[in-house]
Amino acid sequence: MEEKLLKNEERAVFALRALYRQYGYLPFKMSKFEEYDLYVRNKDFLISDRIITFNDTNGKLMALKPDVTLSIVKNGEDLSGVKQKVYYNENVYRVSGSTHQYKEIMQTGLECIGDIDAYDIFEVVSLAAKSLQLISPDFVLDISHLGLLNSIFNQINASELFRREVSQALSEKNSHDILRLCEKHGVSDDVKSMLTEFVGIYGTKDTVLARLKPLCINEEAKAAYAELATLAALFSATDYADRIRFDFSIVSDGNYYNGIVFKGFLNGICEGVLSGGQYDNLLHRMGRRAGAVGFALYLDLLEELNAVKNEFDVDILILYDEDTDLSELVSTCKELTDGGKCVSAQKAFPPKLRYRELIDLTRGNRS
Amino acid sequence: MINIALPKGRLGEKVYAMFEAAGYECPSIKENNRKLIFENTEKQVRYFWVKPSDVSIYVERGAADIGVAGKDILLEYTPDVYELLDLNLGRCRMAVAARRGFHDDGERTLKVATKFTNIAAGHYASRGREIDIIKLNGSIELAPILGLSDVIVDIVETGTTLKENDLDVIETVVPISARLIVNKASFKFKTEKIENIVRSMKEQVKNDD
C-alpha cells in the first residue's frame, strides 16, 4: 500500500539514499541560497547561465542555487590519500533544457572529492549505473573521455573557435558540419578523417575500443584510451555490462571537466536523466589541489516514466449531513480505512472527485 | 515503431519521397484526406506532418524519434538533438541584406530586422557589433525600404525578391539545407532501427558538389 502511494521520484530517493550510504557517502545538506558571486565566477560550469537572483536583507546579491556541486567543492581540505564522499538530494532552480523556462528541479547526486584514483572513478561511474538500474532495468549509460578529443585539438594547436564549433558538431554526431568546419579552418585531411571517424564510434566496449585504438596517436590520447580500457574491463564483470556504452558525443566544458564524462538515459524519458564526470579543473580554478568526480540525477524527469493513471481519486465517498450520528460516521471511516480503503467524507458531492463507491449516511437514507 | 515528423509543404513532400525511395514507404500518406498520422506497420514507421518550425520541438521532446528540419530552425532554436545527415535539399543561405549602396560605418547602433533573432544576435556578437534587433514575423524585406531597419537577416534562395526591391546581399551568415535530426534518448534505445533508416536515407542524398 505505502509502496504504491510513492511516486517514482520519491521511491528513487529512498532507494538511492540506501545505495549511497552503503558505499560510505555521507549526506550533505545545504541552504537554498548562495551568494551570486560564486556562480558568476564559474558561469561556464553551469548548464544555463540564467540564474534567479534577489537582494538579501543586507543588500548582498544572492541567488537561488542553480547547482549543487559548486557549493560542495568551494570549501574543503586537500589531504593526501583522503577523499570526501558526499551525496545530496536538493532542489535547484534553472532554465530547463526543453522548456526554456525557469524550473524547480529535484536533483540527487554524489561527489567524491580529494586524492582520487582509478578506483574512485570506477566507484562513481558504477554507482551512476546502479542508480539508473534501481529506477529501471532498461537504461543506458554512455561514457566518454575528454582527453581523446583534446588530444586531436592539441595535436593541431586548434583555435578556441575551432574547438568550440567542432565540440558542438560532435555533440550532435554531425559529421557533415565537422567536414565543413575542417575545410573552413584549413585542417589537414588526416585530422579531418580522424575527427569524422571519431564521431561515428559508439557502442559497447568490444566494438568501440578496437576502432578507437588507431586514432590514439599521441601520449595524451593513449593515456585516455588506457583509462577507458581499464574502466571497460572492470565493468565487464558487472551484471549491467551490456548497458554500458561508449559514446564520444558527450562534450562537457573542458574548462572544468577533464577525463571521464558520462550521461545516463532511461527508456521512456526523452532526455538524459543523469550526467556526470571528472572535474579536477574546476577545483584547480578554485585554488584547490584535489581532484573530483561526481554525478547528478534529475529526479523530476522520472515523472514521465510509466506514469500510472488512477481511475478513481478515492475508493469510497461518504456523504453525511447535520443529522448524521458522528460516532457512526467515525466508525464507518475507521472500518473502511482499516480495511485498506481510502475514503473521503463530504457533505455534498465534490464536483470533480472520482469515486468507486458511495456510502450515503444522510438522514433521508438512514434506516 | 519509429515516429517521423515531416515538415509541412514542398520540402516535406520531397523528404517523404526520399523516405519512400529508401524503402520506408507509407502509401496512405498520399490519400487525400484529413488524417494527421500515417502508419506502415510492416515497415514499423509512422509519419506525421507538422509546421516546419515545430519539427525540432517534436524531436527534442521525444514525440518524434526522427525529424527533418532546416538548418535555420536548428540554429535559431538550438534543440538538444543529434543531427545525423545533411539531406542536401531546400538549399539556401542565411544572409544579411540592405538597400543598394548601404554602407555600415560602425558609428551608431545597427538596426537589424529579422525573424531569426538568435542567429542575428550571435552573428553580430561574434564581431562585437552593437545592434538593435527588430523581431518581425514576415515581409522582412519591407523593413529597410521603409527605414524601420538598416539591414535584414533572412533566408535568401534566389535573391529575386531582394533584387526587385533594390536590396543587395552584403554578406552570407551561414549556408542552409534540410537536416535529418534524431532524439538523443530514442537513439540509445532504438539504435539499430534508426541506424538502418539513416543509412538508407544517406544513399538517397544527391550530392551536387
Side-chain angles (χ1 to χ4, degrees):
Chain A
M1 174 76 191
E2 281 78 12
E3 176 74 2
K4 257 188 357 200
L5 279 178
L6 290 176
K7 292 182 187 167
N8 277 333
E9 56 272 34
E10 291 164 338
R11 201 175 303 132
V13 169
F14 286 121
L16 296 173
R17 194 176 294 165
L19 172 68
Y20 303 153
R21 286 306 292 257
Q22 261 188 327
Y23 283 83
Y25 286 76
L26 304 178
F28 188 94
K29 181 76 199 148
M30 56 177 291
S31 149
K32 270 194 167 41
F33 318 134
E34 186 75 69
E35 280 187 36
Y36 178 63
D37 189 47
L38 174 68
Y39 304 116
V40 176
R41 275 184 281 127
N42 300 287
K43 194 166 83 206
D44 306 336
F45 182 71
L46 303 173
I47 291 173
S48 154
D49 58 1
R50 278 179 283 178
I51 299 169
I52 306 177
T53 57
F54 64 97
N55 284 95
D56 206 355
T57 46
N58 56 12
K60 200 174 262 177
L61 191 57
M62 304 292 284
L64 272 173
K65 64 176 190 296
D67 169 87
V68 179
T69 309
L70 285 173
S71 306
I72 296 178
V73 302
K74 68 176 179 177
N75 299 308
E77 259 183 299
D78 301 329
L79 300 170
S80 165
V82 178
K83 276 105 45 169
Q84 181 197 11
K85 297 186 176 187
V86 295
Y87 75 87
Y88 59 84
N89 179 224
E90 295 281 344
N91 285 327
V92 295
Y93 304 85
R94 64 169 169 245
V95 175
S96 101
S98 48
T99 62
H100 304 289
Q101 295 200 321
Y102 281 117
K103 266 186 83 178
E104 182 182 61
I105 297 167
M106 205 210 309
Q107 183 174 306
T108 199
L110 57 82
E111 315 288 349
C112 176
I113 306 152
D115 195 357
I116 60 165
D117 56 24
Y119 170 74
D120 298 301
I121 292 171
F122 171 72
E123 182 179 270
V124 169
V125 183
S126 69
L127 281 172
K130 283 181 183 164
S131 303
L132 294 167
Q133 195 184 25
L134 269 176
I135 297 164
S136 159
D138 198 2
F139 75 93
V140 164
L141 186 72
D142 279 347
I143 302 179
S144 175
H145 196 301
L146 294 180
L148 294 166
L149 183 61
N150 271 337
S151 73
I152 303 179
F153 286 154
N154 294 341
Q155 182 83 13
I156 56 168
N157 224 341
S159 69
E160 229 8 82
L161 180 68
F162 182 74
R163 284 170 196 249
R164 204 173 56 232
E165 291 180 337
V166 169
S167 298
Q168 173 61 32
L170 186 64
S171 75
E172 298 164 355
K173 292 186 185 292
N174 178 343
S175 52
H176 44 272
D177 280 343
I178 289 187
L179 281 177
R180 276 184 203 123
L181 288 167
C182 287
E183 268 154 36
K184 187 174 123 191
H185 290 264
V187 171
S188 72
D189 285 351
D190 292 354
V191 176
K192 197 159 54 176
S193 59
M194 265 172 83
L195 280 170
T196 46
E197 168 75 2
F198 193 54
V199 183
I201 304 180
Y202 53 86
T204 52
K205 82 171 192 336
D206 300 325
T207 49
V208 166
L209 291 179
R211 279 181 71 187
L212 188 61
K213 201 160 192 187
L215 299 181
C216 301
I217 46 161
N218 56 24
E219 288 312 310
E220 192 180 1
K222 281 179 186 151
Y225 178 86
E227 259 188 77
L228 277 181
T230 309
L231 212 52
L234 290 170
F235 273 118
S236 59
T238 62
D239 61 345
Y240 45 80
D242 59 325
R243 298 275 155 190
I244 305 288
R245 312 271 165 83
F246 292 92
D247 187 315
F248 304 110
S249 69
I250 313 169
V251 282
S252 310
D253 190 330
N255 286 323
Y256 296 90
Y257 288 97
N258 56 298
I260 299 283
V261 286
F262 49 95
K263 218 171 170 96
F265 295 86
L266 293 171
N267 199 355
I269 298 183
C270 68
E271 50 189 308
V273 294
L274 181 147
S275 106
Q278 187 180 352
Y279 54 94
D280 301 354
N281 291 350
L282 172 67
L283 274 88
H284 299 161
R285 283 173 65 127
M286 288 184 153
R288 293 187 61 176
R289 277 180 290 116
V293 54
F295 65 82
L297 186 64
Y298 310 112
L299 294 169
D300 56 319
L301 295 175
L302 304 186
E303 258 184 13
E304 284 181 48
L305 202 65
N306 323 314
V308 185
K309 288 252 173 12
N310 290 323
E311 207 180 328
F312 299 102
D313 300 319
V314 295
D315 293 319
I316 292 149
L317 171 66
I318 304 175
L319 273 189
Y320 67 98
D321 61 14
E322 286 81 5
D323 296 319
T324 303
D325 179 3
L326 274 186
S327 58
E328 188 192 352
L329 176 61
V330 170
S331 66
T332 310
C333 285
K334 184 173 183 314
E335 205 177 296
L336 291 167
T337 52
D338 284 352
K341 298 269 192 278
C342 84
V343 302
S344 176
Q346 302 275 359
K347 276 191 171 169
F349 286 98
K352 284 185 180 161
L353 189 79
R354 298 167 308 166
Y355 54 91
R356 202 185 295 270
E357 269 177 62
L358 171 74
I359 293 183
D360 192 347
L361 297 181
T362 53
R363 191 174 45 169
N365 278 291
R366 284 188 309 154
S367 50
Chain B
M1 188 65 76
I2 300 288
N3 288 320
I4 303 174
L6 296 172
K8 260 185 214 163
R10 229 176 47 218
L11 173 68
E13 280 160 23
K14 281 188 195 164
V15 171
Y16 171 71
M18 280 180 80
F19 276 106
E20 193 178 53
Y24 295 91
E25 73 281 1
C26 182
S28 62
I29 210 165
K30 290 184 171 161
E31 289 164 16
N32 195 9
N33 58 28
R34 286 169 182 259
K35 266 173 66 177
L36 295 170
I37 295 174
F38 307 90
E39 208 173 284
N40 182 341
T41 41
E42 187 206 333
K43 298 279 165 134
Q44 287 284 298
V45 286
R46 184 189 287 142
Y47 293 96
F48 43 90
W49 300 104
V50 300
K51 199 174 164 182
S53 54
D54 288 345
V55 170
S56 65
I57 299 172
Y58 279 79
V59 175
E60 186 178 28
R61 292 264 185 156
D65 302 306
I66 296 180
V68 172
K71 186 68 182 175
D72 50 330
I73 302 294
L74 300 177
L75 289 170
E76 182 64 19
Y77 299 106
T78 57
D80 188 18
V81 294
Y82 290 136
E83 183 186 317
L84 298 188
L85 271 185
D86 182 347
L87 298 178
N88 208 14
L89 281 179
R91 282 178 54 152
C92 52
R93 56 186 168 143
M94 184 68 64
V96 182
R99 290 188 75 169
R100 200 154 293 151
F102 170 79
H103 172 69
D104 177 15
D105 55 15
E107 272 187 26
R108 52 186 196 98
T109 307
L110 188 71
K111 285 189 282 179
V112 183
T114 185
K115 198 155 61 167
F116 303 93
T117 51
N118 289 332
I119 296 177
H123 174 69
Y124 284 104
S126 72
R127 37 196 78 191
R129 180 75 173 94
E130 164 92 14
I131 60 163
D132 177 11
I133 288 202
I134 303 162
K135 157 100 183 169
L136 295 177
N137 296 301
S139 307
I140 319 286
E141 299 86 358
L142 259 180
I145 300 169
L146 297 177
L148 177 62
S149 74
D150 300 314
V151 298
I152 61 172
V153 171
D154 204 13
I155 288 175
V156 178
E157 270 173 75
T158 55
T160 319
T161 319
L162 293 181
K163 247 178 237 150
E164 284 174 4
N165 289 291
D166 287 335
L167 300 172
D168 279 336
V169 168
I170 50 179
E171 72 184 302
T172 296
V173 179
V174 63
I176 305 287
S177 57
R179 311 291 167 96
L180 185 130
I181 57 174
V182 173
N183 176 274
K184 288 191 171 179
S186 298
F187 189 79
K188 310 291 159 197
F189 298 99
K190 302 178 180 173
T191 316
E192 211 185 318
K193 277 186 188 161
I194 293 176
E195 275 181 335
N196 287 341
I197 295 180
V198 172
R199 203 174 304 119
S200 315
M201 283 296 275
K202 196 171 183 178
E203 288 165 12
Q204 302 302 319
V205 176
K206 293 186 181 73
N207 285 316
D208 52 11
D209 47 12

